[in-house]
Amino acid sequence: MLHHLWKKRTVLLARSLSYTPKQLQRRLVDWLSYPYSYSELDPVLQCLMAYQYQQGYRGLLTPDLIQSRQNFQRSMAELIYKPTTLPFVQNLQLQLHSGSLTARHYHPMPNKPCPMIVFYHGGGFMLGDLDTHDEACRLLAKHSHCQILSIDYPLVPDVSAQHLITVCEAAWCWVWQNQHQFNVMKNVIAIAGDSAGGNISTVISQRLARQKIAPVAQLLIYPAVDFKSRYPSFFKYKEGLLLTESDIDSVTEHYVLQNHLALDDPLVSPIYGEFKQLAPAFIVTAGHDVLHDEGEHYAQLLQHAGVKVKYKNYQHQAHGFINLTSVSAQAKKDLVEIAQSFYKFLKAVI
């Protein structure tokens, strides 16, 4: 995300937008000469999108990947002025065959056995870390009444897509095998992720389906599931929002093509994978998102294959809204609802 968007004075403005009358919000969008008409979008996000567009933002990923990573990390850090309080948050090291991997453990009720959610962050497989999704994990843990273990997996192009998935799957297996360390409700371990993390969660769920260590449920938040096809939502929302056409092109190039994978390889496009005996899936989409239609289509395909699915679309939201809960009251309300709904979904399937 363009760093200028989140300079301190802009962050203060963004936080005040939730308390600004909608009429003034609309006037601000007009004053900023935002060239896109997304009338159903959360007015606070409209203002933010309009401002970032005026500042020259055209996507998360620029040719300078190191700078893109730093901008994203910095912007997320500046957004969070008061992290959600939890009784237990701790980093730990997972000792895998490929080496040590950092994870962050969130526990809303440390003295009580709770389900575990293994979480993989979004960021196009190229950006993001434990800190960029720290607040989202805190809210998810608090309101789902589940432990969260957020995985700091290696990113492309530093590693291949194949290696990334191998490490993420190994991290899942480590958690399952060491669940006694976490006071987990026995074998009640779900998998979750947003965007690229939703893709990773989906791929791992398919690879482990029908095995004893398979997830008991999936939480997929605006997941990327199809690199081959372009759906109507791609063309409708490819510009002017957080995730753009240029971002999708960059991710496709670095994650798929440079690793000599076909666009319909289930390793990267799980919509072409095997659905038999997949774990029940709670799938969330954002209405203003290039990935909306593929997420909705994936939910329909799973249902037709006999997989238990709960599908929820947040029409007024844009891709990335779970990272904007500190500046958008609506985004926070929606993520809290997702966490609470997933808890009910999980209880119903275990």
Side-chain angles (χ1 to χ4, degrees):
M1 197 176 303
L2 190 67
H3 180 48
H4 292 150
L5 172 62
W6 307 118
K7 285 182 178 177
K8 290 186 183 301
R9 62 183 182 181
T10 309
V11 174
L12 292 174
L13 171 64
R15 291 173 188 158
S16 69
L17 285 173
S18 290
Y19 308 99
T20 303
K22 286 185 169 57
Q23 185 177 3
L24 290 180
Q25 292 172 347
R26 285 191 284 268
R27 289 178 64 182
L28 177 59
V29 172
D30 292 339
W31 180 75
L32 290 169
S33 301
Y34 186 50
Y36 302 98
S37 179
Y38 298 137
S39 59
E40 292 183 89
L41 183 63
D42 172 14
V44 173
L45 294 191
Q46 284 190 52
C47 293
L48 294 177
M49 298 304 101
Y51 183 81
Q52 72 167 7
Y53 189 84
Q54 186 193 63
Q55 295 298 305
Y57 176 86
R58 296 299 182 268
L60 281 168
L61 293 163
T62 70
D64 187 341
L65 179 57
I66 293 176
Q67 189 63 53
S68 295
R69 288 176 176 174
Q70 292 174 347
N71 287 346
F72 186 54
Q73 292 164 340
R74 193 181 302 121
S75 64
M76 291 299 100
E78 291 179 358
L79 280 179
I80 307 303
Y81 62 99
K82 189 177 180 182
T84 296
T85 301
L86 285 175
F88 182 89
V89 178
Q90 185 179 70
N91 285 1
L92 66 153
Q93 298 295 315
L94 313 187
Q95 300 302 325
L96 310 179
H97 290 303
S98 58
S100 180
L101 190 68
T102 305
R104 184 168 295 163
H105 184 209
Y106 305 82
H107 204 316
M109 298 171 284
N111 298 319
K112 181 179 178 180
C114 295
M116 172 73 83
I117 299 174
V118 180
F119 183 86
Y120 301 90
H121 66 77
F125 310 95
M126 302 167 69
L127 308 175
D129 56 22
L130 299 180
D131 293 333
T132 60
H133 285 66
D134 180 73
E135 178 61 12
C137 287
R138 287 171 179 267
L139 286 169
L140 187 58
K142 180 176 181 178
H143 296 284
S144 71
H145 309 296
C146 295
Q147 305 176 61
I148 308 292
L149 195 69
S150 182
I151 305 299
D152 193 21
Y153 59 88
L155 303 172
V156 295
D158 304 339
V159 300
S160 67
Q162 296 90 330
H163 182 75
L164 185 154
I165 292 296
T166 297
V167 170
C168 288
E169 184 176 337
W172 168 270
C173 294
W174 185 96
V175 176
W176 205 92
Q177 292 162 0
N178 292 275
Q179 59 183 282
H180 61 279
Q181 296 184 23
F182 301 100
N183 201 14
V184 175
M185 193 177 294
K186 188 174 181 181
N187 296 343
V188 182
I189 308 176
I191 197 166
D194 66 306
S195 193
N199 175 291
I200 293 167
S201 300
T202 307
V203 169
I204 291 174
S205 295
Q206 290 185 4
R207 287 162 66 97
L208 297 179
R210 300 178 299 281
Q211 296 185 37
K212 182 181 178 181
I213 65 171
V216 297
Q218 309 173 65
L219 173 58
L220 311 175
I221 302 174
Y222 36 78
V225 293
D226 190 350
F227 279 98
K228 183 178 181 180
S229 304
R230 292 288 180 260
Y231 298 78
S233 63
F234 176 87
F235 300 102
K236 189 173 182 179
Y237 300 114
K238 66 181 183 178
E239 296 177 333
L241 297 168
L242 288 177
L243 186 65
T244 66
E245 178 181 23
S246 66
D247 292 326
I248 298 297
D249 289 344
S250 294
V251 173
T252 302
E253 176 64 26
H254 288 92
Y255 191 63
V256 184
L257 300 180
Q258 288 189 9
N259 288 298
H260 309 291
L261 294 166
L263 294 174
D264 59 357
D265 189 321
L267 185 78
V268 293
S269 292
I271 203 166
Y272 303 103
E274 174 61 55
F275 303 155
K276 187 176 181 181
Q277 296 182 35
L278 268 182
F282 187 142
I283 299 177
V284 173
T285 56
H288 295 68
D289 183 2
V290 293
L291 302 182
H292 170 272
D293 289 359
E294 64 189 76
E296 181 180 48
H297 186 46
Y298 186 63
Q300 293 169 347
L301 290 176
L302 291 188
Q303 286 178 317
H304 293 157
V307 178
K308 182 177 177 62
V309 174
K310 178 178 175 61
Y311 172 67
K312 175 69 174 178
N313 178 51
Y314 290 88
Q315 183 59 33
H316 52 273
Q317 288 295 1
H319 191 93
F321 74 85
I322 72 165
N323 292 105
L324 301 176
T325 56
S326 289
V327 293
S328 167
Q330 186 62 57
K332 183 174 182 178
K333 179 181 177 182
D334 292 340
L335 182 54
V336 168
E337 180 181 271
I338 289 168
Q340 293 171 338
S341 298
F342 184 68
Y343 178 63
K344 294 176 183 177
F345 180 77
L346 185 59
K347 285 202 303 182
V349 302
I350 60 176

